[in-house]
Amino acid sequence: MMVDDSWKLADRADALRLRARMIRAIRGFFLENDFLEIETPQRIPAPAPEFHIDAVASEDWFLQTSPELCMKRLLAAGYPRIFQICRCFRAGERGDRHLPEFTMLEWYREGVDYRTLMEDCEALITLVARELGIGGAVCWQGREIRLGIPWERMTVREAFSRYATMTSAEALRTERFDEILACEVEPHLGKEHPVFLYEYPAELGALARLKEGEAGIAERFELYCAGLELANAFSELTDAGEQRRRFEEVFSDRRLKGGSPHPMPERFLAALEKMPPSAGIALGVDRLAMLFADKSRIDDVVAFTPELL
Amino acid sequence: MYTASDLRKGLRIKIENDPYIVTEFNFVKPGKGQALYRCKLKNMINGNQFERTFRSVDVFEAADLQEKKMQYLYKEEGKYCFMDNQSYEQIFLSEDQVGEAKNFLLDNIEAEILLFEDKPLGISLPNFIDVVVTKADPWAKGDSVSGNTKPVTVQTGYQLQVPPFIEEGEKIRIDTRTGEYLTRVKG
C-alpha cells in the first residue's frame, strides 16, 4: 500500500527555509573573505583512509567521505583559499545526528594553523546568526547559548579531567576514549557558549600535524555548541612519508578486521610533497541547521531522509 | 548472530542466557571516532531494564523466541493448562506468565504463547472476544442516578463497567488489550 508522506515533507518547511538562508549566508561569508568556491567530484577512486569511516562503493570507485583529498591537491597546486559545500557519504551512519548522506562545508587556508580556523568559525557562525535575525544568543532545546566572541578554548585533557570519570590518557589506554568522550564529555561541551575542544592525542589526528615541542599532541580541534559537534579542524600534515605510514596503519587495521583496504591515494600523497603549510576544516551543515532551527534530530532539517525515499 | 549495526528498537537478543528486547536505541559517533550503539534493554523474563553502549565489534546471539498457537484447556491449582493443537503437547503457565489475559480465558480459546527456548514467557489473545454476562443488576428505565455505566460480571469471572441497558444472559464484546466493553452482540 502506498503511504502518503507529503505531510512529513510539508511539516519541515520552516526548517528548510532557514537552512536555505543559512547556506546563502555561509556562501556570502566566504566570497566576502576572498575564498574561491570549488566543486570536486563526489565519486573518487581512493577515499581518505580513516579508522572509523567507511566509504560507500560505487562500481569500482567510491563515494567521497569528505572532499579533503581533492581540496588539498588544489592547495598544493596553488589555490590559497578555497571552500566547498557538498554531499558526503558514510556507510552505516544513521542516528539522531547522523545521515549516511549529508552536507559538508569544508574550507582551507594556506599559511595559517588551526588557531586561525577557530577565528574563522567565530566570524562565520556569528555572521550566519546575524543574517538569520538571531541576536547574541541561540536557543537550542530549551538552553540559551551565548554567541559573543571569543569562544572558550579547552584542551581534551582539561575536558576529561573536568567532566569524565577518568583522564584522557587512561581512556585511551583502556580503549574507551570515544565512549567516554561521547557519553560523559560531549553533553557538557558548549552548554553556555560554543567551545573549541583542542589538542587531541596524536593517534586521533589522522591527517593532522603534530604540535611542535609537545610529544603526542595533534593540532586538531572540534567545535561544540550545546553538546552538538559542529566541526573538525586540523593544522594539516604536510609530511607525505608520515601520511603514508598513517594510511598504512589504517589499512592493516582494516585487514585485521576482515575488510579489504581501499586503494592508496597515491596522487594525493604526491601532491602533499608540494603542499604549503595550511589548515583545513569540515563543518556539518545539517548540524548547524539543527542548532539554528532548534531541532534535536537531523531528520527535521533535511528535505528527505533515506527512510522517506 | 547479530552485530551492533543490526541493533534497532524491538530487536530481541540473548545476553547471559536471558532474552532481552531493545526498547530504546540511538547511534552515536564522536568526531572521527568509532560508532557507538546506545541501547536500553529489557529482560523479557523478569522485566528488569538497563542501559548499555555497544561498539561495532560486539556480536549478539538472537534470542530463540517462538510464537505457538495453543488452546486453553483448564485451570488447576493456580496453573493454566494450554495444549498445542498440532502435537497435543500440554504446557502449564503461572498466573504471572498469563498476566491480564487470565480475565479473558474462555474455554478452548486459541492463544499465541511466546516461548523462549521452549519456556513460556507470556501469551497474547485475540483482540476481541465475545462473552456472556453472568451477573448484572436489572435496569430500571429512567433510572440514571447511578451514572451512565454499571458493573457486570462475565462468564470468565471478570468484572467491568458496561452501559446500563446490558442484561444478565446477554453477550457482549470486550477488547482484550484494554479490558473495556465494546458493544452488545446479538444472538
Side-chain angles (χ1 to χ4, degrees):
Chain A
M1 194 180 71
M2 289 303 289
V3 184
D4 182 11
D5 276 333
S6 54
W7 66 272
K8 284 189 189 160
L9 306 183
D11 207 39
R12 53 193 76 178
D14 288 347
L16 293 184
R17 279 193 202 101
L18 177 139
R19 180 191 171 103
R21 278 161 55 213
M22 194 186 85
I23 290 174
R24 193 176 61 188
I26 292 172
R27 221 168 230 126
F29 172 86
F30 286 104
L31 297 175
E32 273 301 299
N33 284 283
D34 203 24
F35 279 75
L36 177 65
E37 181 163 11
I38 295 288
E39 288 181 281
T40 60
Q42 294 189 345
R43 208 172 148 269
I44 53 175
E50 293 202 51
F51 281 108
H52 303 297
I53 297 179
D54 283 322
V56 176
S58 167
E59 295 183 334
D60 51 346
W61 283 18
F62 299 90
L63 300 181
Q64 65 177 2
T65 56
S66 124
E68 186 162 2
L69 302 189
C70 284
M71 294 294 268
K72 286 186 184 168
R73 284 182 65 188
L74 291 169
L75 267 178
Y79 294 81
R81 292 142 90 93
I82 48 178
F83 81 102
Q84 172 159 209
I85 298 171
C86 62
R87 287 308 184 120
C88 297
F89 304 82
R90 294 181 181 181
E93 301 199 0
R94 182 71 177 102
D96 286 350
R97 298 175 182 185
H98 290 86
L99 284 169
E101 175 179 352
F102 61 99
T103 304
M104 190 90 102
L105 160 67
E106 290 206 357
W107 72 96
Y108 291 82
R109 274 178 181 270
E110 182 191 305
V112 303
D113 69 18
Y114 69 156
R115 286 170 301 183
T116 305
L117 297 179
M118 293 185 189
E119 288 159 21
D120 279 349
C121 286
E122 290 171 337
L124 168 69
I125 291 173
T126 49
L127 172 98
V128 171
R130 269 199 309 281
E131 300 268 317
L132 294 176
I134 293 165
V138 58
C139 192
W140 195 73
Q141 304 298 297
R143 184 169 277 285
E144 198 178 82
I145 295 111
R146 295 187 314 277
L147 296 177
I149 59 168
W151 296 339
E152 188 179 1
R153 276 94 167 134
M154 194 190 294
T155 65
V156 168
R157 200 205 320 216
E158 199 179 330
F160 271 69
S161 73
R162 208 182 283 188
Y163 304 119
T165 48
M166 61 178 79
T167 65
S168 53
E170 211 178 324
L172 267 178
R173 205 168 43 239
T174 53
E175 293 188 1
R176 295 183 66 198
F177 185 90
D178 293 323
E179 182 193 336
I180 304 291
L181 177 65
C183 301
E184 298 182 14
V185 180
E186 280 192 349
H188 296 284
L189 297 176
K191 271 165 113 170
E192 269 106 45
H193 42 74
V195 56
F196 296 106
L197 188 67
Y198 75 115
E199 293 199 342
Y200 274 71
E203 47 270 66
L204 302 177
L207 290 83
R209 180 173 84 195
L210 296 185
K211 199 175 169 188
E212 226 170 287
E214 259 192 84
I217 299 284
E219 290 198 356
R220 168 186 170 196
F221 76 77
E222 294 250 1
L223 170 61
Y224 284 89
C225 193
L228 266 177
E229 177 208 345
L230 294 177
N232 177 79
F234 296 141
S235 297
E236 301 297 353
L237 178 66
T238 49
D239 178 340
E242 168 68 10
Q243 186 71 80
R244 180 184 295 275
R245 196 187 57 74
R246 293 191 200 174
F247 284 168
E248 273 162 359
E249 269 177 31
V250 175
F251 289 154
S252 55
D253 177 68
R254 228 171 238 289
R255 264 185 235 108
L256 219 65
K257 288 175 179 153
S260 56
H262 299 152
M264 184 64 88
E266 291 293 349
R267 297 175 91 155
F268 162 73
L269 288 171
L272 203 53
E273 307 269 8
K274 288 177 288 178
M275 196 171 94
S278 323
I281 176 164
L283 182 148
V285 172
D286 312 283
R287 300 266 182 89
L288 195 63
M290 285 171 69
L291 176 71
F292 284 123
D294 190 15
K295 300 290 184 193
S296 64
R297 294 186 326 149
I298 199 167
D299 303 42
D300 296 326
V301 298
V302 295
F304 289 91
T305 57
E307 295 79 12
L308 281 174
L309 294 174
Chain B
M1 287 297 253
Y2 292 116
T3 64
S5 61
D6 295 316
L7 289 169
R8 63 185 181 277
K9 218 167 148 173
L11 189 76
R12 304 189 286 200
I13 55 176
K14 186 166 144 178
I15 303 173
E16 285 155 12
N17 295 322
D18 275 358
Y20 283 83
I21 182 162
V22 178
T23 55
E24 272 176 51
F25 169 78
N26 202 8
F27 170 90
V28 288
K29 194 170 191 277
K32 307 251 171 207
Q34 57 181 315
L36 300 166
Y37 304 82
R38 303 185 77 175
C39 294
K40 208 176 246 182
L41 295 153
K42 185 175 162 187
N43 185 309
M44 296 178 75
I45 295 172
N46 58 30
N48 289 345
Q49 297 215 39
F50 69 92
E51 273 183 60
R52 195 180 278 185
T53 301
F54 298 103
R55 309 181 197 190
S56 23
V57 291
D58 291 325
V59 292
F60 314 91
E61 222 177 300
D64 175 23
L65 292 159
Q66 262 187 301
E67 280 204 319
K68 255 190 197 169
K69 271 197 191 335
M70 290 192 154
Q71 201 174 20
Y72 172 61
L73 297 182
Y74 58 88
K75 181 184 175 189
E76 196 178 76
E77 291 165 6
K79 294 277 189 191
Y80 296 80
C81 179
F82 290 83
M83 182 183 69
D84 186 325
N85 283 340
Q86 266 147 26
S87 64
Y88 302 108
E89 171 202 1
Q90 293 184 10
I91 59 162
F92 290 90
L93 268 71
S94 69
E95 188 120 2
D96 270 359
Q97 289 165 339
V98 172
E100 290 299 302
K102 70 168 189 241
N103 294 320
F104 314 110
L105 285 177
L106 295 166
D107 289 346
N108 301 323
I109 191 172
E110 200 170 69
E112 298 264 4
I113 310 276
L114 183 64
L115 300 157
F116 170 64
E117 292 171 353
D118 296 325
K119 292 188 292 285
L121 289 181
I123 92 171
S124 59
L125 293 177
N127 292 342
F128 309 110
I129 56 162
D130 294 346
V131 289
V132 177
V133 175
T134 52
K135 198 170 155 231
D137 294 332
W139 180 43
K141 267 203 165 63
D143 174 15
S144 59
V145 178
S146 54
N148 292 324
T149 60
K150 66 175 185 185
V152 297
T153 306
V154 298
Q155 67 188 102
T156 58
Y158 178 60
Q159 285 190 4
L160 75 164
Q161 295 289 324
V162 300
F165 55 79
I166 298 292
E167 312 261 19
E168 216 168 275
E170 278 191 295
K171 232 181 201 180
I172 59 169
R173 184 159 297 164
I174 297 177
D175 187 325
T176 61
R177 295 161 297 183
T178 60
E180 281 168 12
Y181 165 88
L182 282 175
T183 181
R184 174 154 61 176
V185 185
K186 291 268 161 62

